[in-house]
Amino acid sequence: MKKNKGRYQHTKPNSAKNRRYVSYEDVPLREINDIEPTPNNLTKKFFKVFIILFISVVAVLALVNIDYLTPENISHWFQYDLLGKTEGNGYPVRFIGTSINKENFSLMDGCPIYCSDTSVVVLNSNAGEIQNNQHLFANPVLRANSNYSIIYNSDATGYKILNRDSIIYSGSSKKKLFSADISSNGTYAVLSYGEDYLSQLEVYKYDNTKKYAYSFADYYVSNVSLNNDGTRAALSGVSANNGGLVSVIYVLDFGQESYLQKYEVEDSYIYDVRYMSNGNILAVGEQASYFIDVENGRKSDFSYQSKTLTTYTMKKDYGLILSLSKNPDGRDCDIYSINKDGNHEFDFNTNSKILSLDYKNDSLAVLSPSEIDLFDTKGNKLSTTSVSSDARKICMQDEHTIYILGKSEISKYVADQ
C-alpha cells in the first residue's frame, strides 16, 4: 500500500544536532534592545498623521454642528455629559411644589422641564436635577424649545428666560402679560395689555435689547408664536362684532411697520397658534383648525364636523394632531392630523377617551384613563401599558420613551423595541 503524500504528508525532521537555538540569556542586554529598533522618523511620521486625522475629524464635527457650538452647549456637555453631574436616582420622582398645570410640563432638548407653583426644574434621563430654581409667580406659564424656555406670570408683569442649566435673564413688562414665546436662537417676544391700545407686542434680541414693537387697536391679541429665526410672529386674538365673536390671526414681519397678513374667523374662538419650522402657520380653534400658507397668502379651514375637541398637540417640525370626540363627554375619540404643509396625513378611531397625546418619528402616544397606547400612523396599536389613574399629560422623547405627568410625580415609560 502506498503511503499518502497529500496535505498531511509526514516529513522527516532535521537532525537535532543541525538545529541552532538562540537564548536571549546569552546575549548582552544592549544587543537585545538593538535587535529591531523603531526608526525615530517613523514614530514622528505616525504621530503627525494621527494629529492631522484627529484635527480633521474635529473640524468636520464642528462644521456639521456649528449651530450647536454655543458657550452654553459646550458648558452643558462638559458638566453633564463628560463629568456626569446630577446622576439622579431614576423615575418616578416627586415634583417640587404642590401642583403643575398640564401646559407647564414639556421637554427641553429631550429633557423633562416643568414649572410648578413654586419652582422651575429641568431633569435628566435618570431624574437628576439639571437645574432647580424658585419663582414667585402666581400664574406661571411655560413655553419651551430645544435651546431655551421662557416662563411668564400671566396677568402680571414678570418673566424669566432659561437655558438648560440656569435662569439667564429676569425681566418685567410695563403692563400685565397675555403671552410670551422664545425662538431657538434666543429672540423672545412678550405680549401684554397696551398703554393706549388693547394689546402690545414687544420683541427682544438675545442680549435683551428691544428689536421690534407693535400695537393692536381692534383686537385683544392673546397668543404669540415666533418662527425659528425670530424674524416673524404669528398671533391670535378676539373681538366682538355686532354681538358676535370674531377671532383674528395676524402675521407680523419684524422688518415691516404694518402687519404682513391678517385673517378673520367668525363665531369660533382660537385657542392656540403656532409658527411651523417651514414658515407656515397652524391654529387650533373651537370649531375648526386653520392652516396658513404664508408664502402664498392662503388660509385653509379644517372643520371638526360637529365633533368635540378634547385635546391636541402642535409640533413645529411636524404639524398638528387633534383628538376629536363623537360625544360631548369626550368618549370614543378619533385622531386627526394636519402636517406642516397643510395636508391631512392620517386619521383613525381609538375607541378611547383621550386625555393627552404626543407624536414622534411616526409613532403616536395616546393617554387614556389608566393606560398609554402606542400607535403607528395607520392606527395599528404597537404597545399598551398601564399607568397611574392620576396621569394627566405625556411627552415623547423618542418613539419609545415617554415622560408622564401625574398629580404628584413624574414617571417614565420605555416601550419594547
Side-chain angles (χ1 to χ4, degrees):
M1 180 179 294
K2 294 184 179 179
K3 294 182 179 180
N4 182 8
K5 295 184 179 180
R7 181 177 178 184
Y8 298 104
Q9 180 180 352
H10 176 71
T11 56
K12 184 179 179 180
N14 293 328
S15 175
K17 65 181 180 180
N18 295 326
R19 298 179 189 171
R20 182 180 178 186
Y21 296 94
V22 178
S23 173
Y24 286 109
E25 293 179 0
D26 300 326
V27 180
L29 184 61
R30 181 173 56 83
E31 294 183 18
I32 294 175
N33 293 335
D34 294 340
I35 289 176
E36 292 184 357
T38 301
N40 290 333
N41 59 344
L42 183 61
T43 302
K44 292 179 180 179
K45 287 181 180 179
F46 175 80
F47 183 73
K48 289 180 180 179
V49 170
F50 175 79
I51 292 297
I52 292 172
L53 289 174
F54 177 78
I55 293 174
S56 300
V57 170
V58 171
V60 170
L61 291 174
L63 288 173
V64 171
N65 298 280
I66 189 67
D67 293 336
Y68 301 97
L69 294 180
T70 63
E72 292 88 354
N73 286 342
I74 294 172
S75 173
H76 179 88
W77 172 82
F78 182 79
Q79 293 183 67
Y80 300 101
D81 296 332
L82 185 63
L83 299 182
K85 188 178 178 181
T86 65
E87 292 182 356
N89 296 316
Y91 292 91
V93 60
R94 294 186 66 86
F95 59 72
I96 298 170
T98 58
S99 64
I100 301 176
N101 290 333
K102 291 196 302 181
E103 295 77 13
N104 291 342
F105 176 64
S106 187
L107 296 182
M108 186 176 182
D109 194 27
C111 297
I113 177 173
Y114 68 83
C115 184
S116 70
D117 55 337
T118 64
S119 305
V120 55
V121 179
V122 180
L123 303 173
N124 65 14
S125 59
N126 203 37
E129 291 184 359
I130 297 176
Q131 68 167 297
N132 176 357
N133 291 289
Q134 290 186 335
H135 66 77
L136 298 175
F137 294 168
N139 300 295
V141 181
L142 169 70
R143 293 290 293 269
N145 60 49
S146 293
N147 297 329
Y148 299 98
S149 294
I150 187 167
I151 300 166
Y152 65 94
N153 198 4
S154 179
D155 205 33
T157 60
Y159 62 89
K160 297 178 183 295
I161 296 173
L162 302 79
N163 60 19
R164 287 169 296 181
D165 305 325
S166 62
I167 293 175
I168 58 177
Y169 182 74
S170 295
S172 62
S173 172
K174 293 180 181 179
K175 294 291 185 176
K176 294 181 179 180
L177 294 168
F178 283 120
S179 181
D181 193 27
I182 189 164
S183 68
S184 56
N185 69 0
T187 299
Y188 64 93
V190 291
L191 184 63
S192 66
Y193 292 89
E195 293 183 353
D196 299 314
Y197 297 88
L198 298 180
S199 304
Q200 183 172 5
L201 177 73
E202 294 179 311
V203 182
Y204 295 86
K205 299 178 183 178
Y206 174 80
D207 60 2
N208 307 302
T209 57
K210 186 179 288 189
K211 175 179 181 178
Y212 179 81
Y214 192 91
S215 298
F216 302 90
D218 300 323
Y219 290 87
Y220 283 103
V221 177
S222 55
N223 293 301
V224 59
S225 175
L226 297 177
N227 64 351
N228 279 353
D229 58 6
T231 58
R232 289 181 174 181
L235 306 100
S236 67
V238 66
S239 183
N241 184 23
N242 296 325
L245 178 72
V246 179
S247 293
V248 67
I249 300 172
Y250 280 99
V251 184
L252 298 181
D253 187 306
F254 301 153
Q256 300 182 14
E257 292 185 2
S258 181
Y259 59 79
L260 182 65
Q261 294 169 18
K262 176 183 175 183
Y263 303 90
E264 293 181 330
V265 178
E266 293 187 359
D267 300 323
S268 180
Y269 185 79
I270 294 178
Y271 298 121
D272 202 358
V273 64
R274 198 67 50 88
Y275 231 117
M276 297 291 110
S277 61
N278 63 349
N280 295 325
I281 294 168
L282 280 163
V284 179
E286 183 181 14
Q287 301 174 17
S289 288
Y290 309 95
F291 169 78
I292 296 174
D293 180 349
V294 177
E295 186 68 23
N296 296 302
R298 177 177 59 87
K299 179 175 76 70
S300 302
D301 298 0
F302 295 84
S303 172
Y304 302 154
Q305 300 178 345
S306 301
K307 295 179 181 178
T308 301
L309 176 68
T310 65
T311 189
Y312 65 89
T313 184
M314 282 199 283
K315 299 283 190 179
K316 285 196 168 189
D317 291 328
Y318 172 74
L320 169 65
I321 300 177
L322 303 160
S323 169
L324 301 173
S325 174
K326 299 179 179 69
N327 301 284
D329 61 1
R331 293 179 291 111
D332 195 15
C333 290
D334 293 335
I335 300 294
Y336 190 91
S337 77
I338 306 165
N339 66 22
K340 64 183 179 181
D341 295 315
N343 300 318
H344 165 226
E345 193 154 286
F346 60 85
D347 65 89
F348 57 88
N349 180 257
T350 65
N351 297 313
S352 300
K353 181 178 182 178
I354 297 178
L355 306 177
S356 177
L357 72 166
D358 204 0
Y359 179 82
K360 194 79 172 181
N361 299 336
D362 295 326
S363 291
L364 180 70
V366 173
L367 173 66
S368 56
S370 304
E371 189 173 273
I372 292 178
D373 297 316
L374 275 178
F375 295 91
D376 62 19
T377 55
K378 295 180 180 179
N380 299 314
K381 189 177 291 188
L382 305 177
S383 68
T384 299
T385 186
S386 298
V387 294
S388 172
S389 60
D390 68 3
R392 296 183 292 142
K393 185 179 179 179
I394 54 176
C395 292
M396 295 186 75
Q397 183 187 52
D398 54 46
E399 59 266 48
H400 304 290
T401 308
I402 304 168
Y403 291 98
I404 308 156
L405 173 66
K407 287 187 177 179
S408 60
E409 66 180 20
I410 296 169
S411 54
K412 181 179 179 181
Y413 166 62
V414 181
D416 295 334
Q417 302 185 21

